[in-house]
Amino acid sequence: MKLSWIREHYHEIKAENNYDYLLQLFEREVENREERKVNLLL
């Protein structure tokens, strides 16, 4: 599994518990992938 955004930005996430931390990490990874996909298609 390639998690390039997480690998580079995991230290920027602030959360009160592990669940929220992981949720934010994966949400941002998905957002980043979608953004890159749109940019490639343009």
Side-chain angles (χ1 to χ4, degrees):
M1 186 181 310
K2 295 181 182 180
L3 302 171
S4 60
W5 188 92
I6 290 176
R7 185 177 56 244
E8 295 175 11
H9 300 280
Y10 68 91
H11 59 279
E12 297 173 7
I13 303 298
K14 305 290 186 226
E16 294 182 16
N17 57 54
N18 289 341
Y19 177 80
D20 290 338
Y21 178 76
L22 290 172
L23 182 61
Q24 289 181 41
L25 276 178
F26 286 108
E27 284 176 342
R28 292 194 184 177
E29 178 69 32
V30 169
E31 289 171 5
N32 183 264
R33 286 180 181 206
E34 290 173 355
E35 184 178 310
R36 282 187 296 165
K37 181 180 177 181
V38 168
N39 289 334
L40 285 173
L41 295 173
L42 291 176

